[in-house]
């Protein structure tokens, strides 16, 4: 990999890198156009070669797209690039085609979350065209919240005009025999006269009401007004639904599906896009060498709205939520901080009720979160005891007044024979007398509505300190931070990230005491986050000690 170029200023790094990258892209596009033109000339002149190409395209949708698909983007003209571009799949896009194949073969639903402008819709459209051409008895459905987004004749931003464009750009010998655009591609419908395959569109509350489909794609699912109604209709329509969207907060069905653990998820993030993730270096005002991503910096300057940046580019579901206890960017900083596992070895247990609420066990050693495990089924007491014993816990915390009272009764009864101490906390009890550095003039009892609010705030201060250390370079001791680096490859890491940023806080009463709503704007109990919160509860002998350092009392991030 080539080292990032160095520039004298941030502005120069952004400007020159964008120009350089556009020039490289122009060369790549020209080379791809030449490659395709030569191949098409060969195929046009050789009937046997055409048959081989058709068979190859039928068997391999990635090869088909990389050879015959074109896209339209008028914005490129301003950068000196052609508006009509060969669709050459990036590695992540090619992987997406394979992921779609897997969903169809397994008859499973899937969810696609994306940064803005990552080409998901074009790839979906090209995938549909491939199946429309080559499969037997294929019927594809496409829906979105508004009709004009699904189809508006002459509008290349609508999904069906993209499909028509892809078909128009195919060589004539690959189009279905007898296909006529005006006859076979009317409003909201595209028919293959050769094999009878169809692609149909629907919008709003009508999504899924019409007929049956091999595959159904729901675009911008997070913005659909009545998604539960759509889900109900689609359940009888097809065995494979692909929900696609950029995030739109946490109070919607798309968010719930994304973090339910019950659906396959594919992520299109700008950091996986080689046309956006290239780096450059510049000298900051202090003379330090700083690495930046010019495309991202340009997007931040151009959009100038931190909520849109976080939500639609960084895929932050909590970006539009006010009063978040632990902002997502703080959690991301903790994922990148590696610390030595030295200090108290203790666990947290969040006991789940029935339904989606899981029982979760968490272990930390000092500032390092070592483990989070979701448990289910019978014999949870034995599973918890085995985990805590294997991890050599000193103490295991749980909420003794909630549903945890039932599952931990056996453990507490046998506490004298256990190799670890079990400590029941009471979320609803009064806070401690601890003084925290962000408001040292007040005790926790004067600041927080209950003990749970204090525990969430302690966790907040750890994440805030971590953000300041990782992002701002402040010299903050290890034991005031938190490291989640051990979770990078955890199968539920995205769920952990989302849950940690789900709780919100506000001030109430004449004394402005802080109350925390663990649900925030969501509907899912943050079982992973609560287990982590309990794991970082202060040991009994430290209850009266000075709490974690940090700031950030207000609704902002305090950073």
């Amino acid at each position: 990999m080539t080292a990032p170029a160095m520039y004298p200023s941030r502005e120069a790094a952004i400007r020159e890198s964008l120009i350089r990258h556009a020039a490289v892209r122009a060369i790549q596009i020209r080379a791809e156009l030449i490659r395709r033109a030569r191949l098409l000339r060969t195929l046009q002149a050789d009937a046997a070669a055409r048959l081989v190409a058709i068979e190859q395209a039928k068997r391999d949708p990635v090869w088909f797209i990389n050879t015959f698909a074109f896209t339209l983007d008028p914005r490129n003209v301003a950068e000196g690039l052609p508006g009509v571009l060969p669709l050459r799949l990036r590695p992540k896009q090619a992987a997406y085609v394979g992921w779609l194949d897997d969903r169809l073969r397994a008859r499973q639903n899937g969810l696609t979350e994306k940064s803005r402008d990552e080409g998901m819709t074009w790839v979906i459209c090209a995938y549909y065209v491939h199946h429309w051409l080559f499969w037997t008895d294929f019927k594809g459905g496409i829906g979105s919240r508004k009709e004009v987004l699904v189809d508006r004749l002459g509008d290349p931003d609508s999904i069906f005009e993209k499909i028509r464009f892809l078909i128009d750009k195919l060589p004539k010998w690959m189009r279905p025999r007898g296909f006529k655009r005006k006859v076979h591609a009317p409003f909201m419908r595209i028919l293959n006269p050769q094999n009878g395959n169809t692609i149909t569109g629907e919008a709003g509350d009508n999504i899924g009401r019409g007929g049956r489909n091999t595959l159904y794609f729901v675009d911008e699912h997070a913005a659909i007004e009545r998604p539960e109604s759509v889900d109900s209709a689609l359940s009888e329509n097809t065995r494979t639904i692909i929900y696609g969207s950029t995030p739109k907060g946490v109070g919607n069905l798309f968010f719930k599906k994304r973090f339910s653990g019950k659906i396959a998820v594919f992520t299109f993030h700008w950091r996986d896009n080689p046309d956006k993730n290239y780096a450059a270096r510049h000298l900051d005002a202090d003379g330090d060498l700083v690495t930046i991503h010019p495309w991202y910096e340009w997007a931040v300057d151009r959009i100038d709205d931190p909520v849109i940046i976080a939500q639609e580019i960084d895929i932050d579901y909590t970006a539009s939520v006010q009063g978040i206890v632990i902002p997502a960017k703080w959690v991301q900083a903790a994922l990148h901080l590696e610390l030595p596992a030295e200090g108290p070895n203790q666990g947290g247990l969040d006991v789940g009720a029935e339904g989606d609420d899981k029982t979760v066990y968490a272990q930390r050693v000092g500032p390092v979160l070592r483990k989070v495990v979701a448990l289910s089924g019978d014999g949870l007491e034995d599973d918890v005891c085995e985990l805590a014993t294997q991890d050599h816990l000193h103490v295991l915390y749980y909420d003794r007044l909630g549903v945890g009272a039932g599952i931990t009764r056996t453990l507490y009864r046998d506490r004298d024979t256990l190799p670890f101490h079990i400590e029941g906390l009471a979320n609803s009890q009064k806070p401690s007398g601890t003084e925290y550095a962000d408001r040292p003039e007040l005790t926790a009892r004067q600041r927080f509505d209950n003990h749970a609010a204090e525990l969430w705030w302690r966790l907040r201060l750890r994440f805030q300190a971590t953000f300041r250390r990782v992002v701002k370079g402040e010299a903050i001791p290890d034991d005031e931070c938190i490291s989640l680096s051990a979770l990078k490859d955890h199968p539920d890491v995205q769920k952990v990230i989302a849950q940690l940023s789900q709780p919100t806080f506000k001030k109430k009463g004449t004394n402005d005491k802080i109350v925390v709503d663990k649900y925030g704007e969501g509907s899912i109990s943050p079982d992973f986050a609560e287990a982590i919160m309990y794991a970082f509860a202060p040991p009994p002998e430290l209850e009266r000690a000075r709490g974690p350092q940090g700031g950030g009392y207000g609704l902002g991030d305090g950073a």
Side-chain angles (χ1 to χ4, degrees):
M1 182 179 293
T2 303
M6 191 174 78
Y7 300 92
S9 67
R10 174 182 176 275
E11 291 74 17
I14 295 172
R15 181 180 64 254
E16 299 301 326
S17 293
L18 290 174
I19 293 173
R20 173 187 289 187
H21 187 74
V24 172
R25 283 282 293 138
I27 294 171
Q28 293 172 337
I29 291 168
R30 184 174 182 272
E32 178 62 11
L33 287 170
I34 292 172
R35 182 189 74 85
R36 291 197 184 191
R38 288 173 175 168
L39 176 60
L40 288 175
R41 280 198 299 269
T42 300
L43 296 175
Q44 186 66 37
D46 189 339
R50 288 200 298 273
L51 292 175
V52 172
I54 290 172
E55 185 61 28
Q56 175 71 7
K58 181 179 179 179
R59 295 185 179 189
D60 187 349
V62 171
W63 187 85
F64 164 76
I65 294 170
N66 283 341
T67 306
F68 300 109
F70 285 81
T71 67
L72 177 65
D73 191 345
R75 297 172 300 178
N76 287 331
V77 176
E79 300 178 22
L81 300 174
V84 177
L85 298 172
L87 178 50
R88 184 78 179 179
L89 296 177
R90 299 187 292 269
K92 193 73 172 182
Q93 291 174 325
Y96 187 52
V97 171
W99 182 84
L100 292 171
D101 282 341
D102 291 342
R103 304 285 74 72
L104 270 176
R105 280 194 294 266
R107 298 183 178 184
Q108 293 178 342
N109 295 339
L111 182 145
T112 308
E113 61 180 4
K114 65 185 183 70
S115 298
R116 177 195 285 189
D117 199 24
E118 282 301 306
M120 177 196 72
T121 306
W122 276 108
V123 177
I124 284 281
C125 289
Y127 189 79
Y128 268 61
V129 169
H130 173 272
H131 286 42
W132 176 81
L133 282 171
F134 300 117
W135 275 37
T136 301
D137 299 326
F138 175 78
K139 187 174 184 294
I142 296 174
S144 191
R145 60 190 175 90
K146 290 184 179 180
E147 191 175 86
V148 295
L149 299 176
V150 181
D151 196 6
R152 184 159 65 177
L153 294 173
D155 182 358
D157 289 334
S158 67
I159 296 173
F160 269 67
E161 277 295 275
K162 287 180 169 66
I163 294 175
R164 294 186 186 99
F165 181 86
L166 285 160
I167 295 172
D168 289 344
K169 291 298 178 183
L170 291 173
K172 290 182 179 180
W173 48 266
M174 184 167 278
R175 293 180 214 156
R177 287 192 303 271
F179 178 80
K180 296 180 180 179
R181 195 184 206 269
K182 290 184 178 180
V183 176
H184 299 108
F187 182 68
M188 290 280 208
R189 188 166 178 263
I190 297 179
L191 170 67
N192 185 328
Q194 187 172 337
N195 59 21
N197 289 344
T198 60
I199 303 172
T200 56
E202 298 164 308
D205 290 344
N206 292 318
I207 292 176
R209 303 277 176 202
R212 299 291 182 264
N213 286 282
T214 313
L215 172 66
Y216 206 104
F217 171 62
V218 185
D219 189 41
E220 292 301 334
H221 182 266
I224 290 177
E225 188 173 353
R226 284 174 283 274
E228 289 81 4
S229 175
V230 169
D231 251 27
S232 176
L234 283 173
S235 66
E236 302 299 326
N237 182 294
T238 182
R239 292 184 176 89
T240 303
I241 309 166
I242 303 299
Y243 305 93
S245 192
T246 51
K248 294 290 187 294
V250 300
N252 55 64
L253 186 59
F254 187 78
F255 172 84
K256 185 175 181 179
K257 286 180 180 294
R258 166 62 180 86
F259 295 102
S260 68
K262 299 177 180 178
I263 189 170
V265 176
F266 193 94
T267 302
F268 276 117
H269 199 284
W270 71 267
R271 290 187 180 277
D272 297 318
N273 184 345
D275 289 331
K276 297 178 180 179
N277 64 11
Y278 53 93
R281 294 181 294 188
H282 73 92
L283 295 175
D284 65 11
D286 298 324
D288 296 325
L289 193 61
V290 177
T291 300
I292 65 170
H293 293 90
W295 176 88
Y296 182 77
E297 297 289 326
W298 168 79
V300 169
D301 290 345
R302 180 175 60 91
I303 296 173
D304 194 27
D305 186 326
V307 172
I308 293 177
I309 291 292
Q311 183 169 270
E312 298 193 12
I313 295 182
D314 289 328
I315 315 184
D316 181 355
Y317 287 80
T318 65
S320 60
V321 181
Q322 296 295 313
I324 296 173
V325 177
I326 305 171
K329 63 182 180 180
W330 296 1
V331 181
Q332 291 291 340
L335 282 169
H336 293 91
L337 179 62
E338 296 185 2
L339 296 173
E342 299 173 352
N345 182 0
Q346 57 191 59
L349 185 68
D350 179 66
V351 181
E354 295 181 357
D356 292 338
D357 197 7
K358 298 287 191 297
T359 292
V360 177
Y361 165 90
Q363 181 221 3
R364 66 106 164 186
V365 178
V368 178
L369 182 66
R370 295 280 298 274
K371 180 184 297 182
V372 284
V373 181
L375 305 170
S376 61
D378 298 328
L380 288 177
E381 297 92 340
D382 293 337
D383 292 340
V384 171
C385 184
E386 182 178 352
L387 283 167
T389 302
Q390 289 177 349
D391 292 336
H392 305 290
L393 288 192
H394 298 152
V395 59
L396 176 68
Y397 288 106
Y398 71 100
D399 179 14
R400 70 173 184 266
L401 299 183
V403 292
I407 192 173
T408 53
R409 189 175 292 115
T410 302
L411 292 174
Y412 193 77
R413 183 193 62 202
D414 299 335
R415 63 189 182 278
D416 292 337
T417 62
L418 295 175
F420 57 90
H421 181 65
I422 181 165
E423 183 76 18
L425 304 174
N427 284 344
S428 58
Q429 74 182 15
K430 292 181 179 180
S432 72
T434 306
E435 298 171 358
Y436 294 92
D438 59 330
R439 291 295 299 277
E441 74 278 13
L442 298 175
T443 66
R445 193 161 298 167
Q446 294 171 303
R447 296 182 61 191
F448 303 108
D449 186 60
N450 54 33
H451 191 52
E454 180 186 359
L455 292 179
W456 281 114
W457 205 262
R458 290 181 64 94
L459 197 61
R460 168 189 169 90
L461 294 178
R462 279 189 179 275
F463 277 101
Q464 185 184 50
T466 302
F467 176 79
R468 289 179 166 176
R469 173 170 167 165
V470 172
V471 176
K472 299 195 172 185
E474 297 183 18
I476 297 177
D478 291 355
D479 60 2
E480 293 179 17
C481 297
I482 180 170
S483 170
L484 304 184
S485 63
L487 301 188
K488 284 184 178 179
D489 297 322
H490 195 285
D492 291 310
V493 63
Q494 293 301 325
K495 185 180 292 187
V496 173
I497 294 170
Q499 287 191 9
L500 284 167
S501 295
Q502 179 175 311
T504 58
F505 73 94
K506 62 182 179 181
K507 295 178 285 184
K508 75 169 191 176
T510 57
N511 293 326
D512 282 345
K513 285 192 174 181
I514 294 173
V515 59
V516 171
D517 177 6
K518 70 178 184 179
Y519 290 96
E521 294 186 9
S523 59
I524 302 173
S525 179
D527 35 39
F528 282 92
E530 283 195 284
I532 294 169
M533 178 191 75
Y534 292 137
F536 280 88
E541 67 272 15
L542 300 181
E543 284 273 356
R544 292 179 297 277
R546 188 173 181 84
Q549 309 299 298
Y553 176 82
L555 293 179
D557 61 19

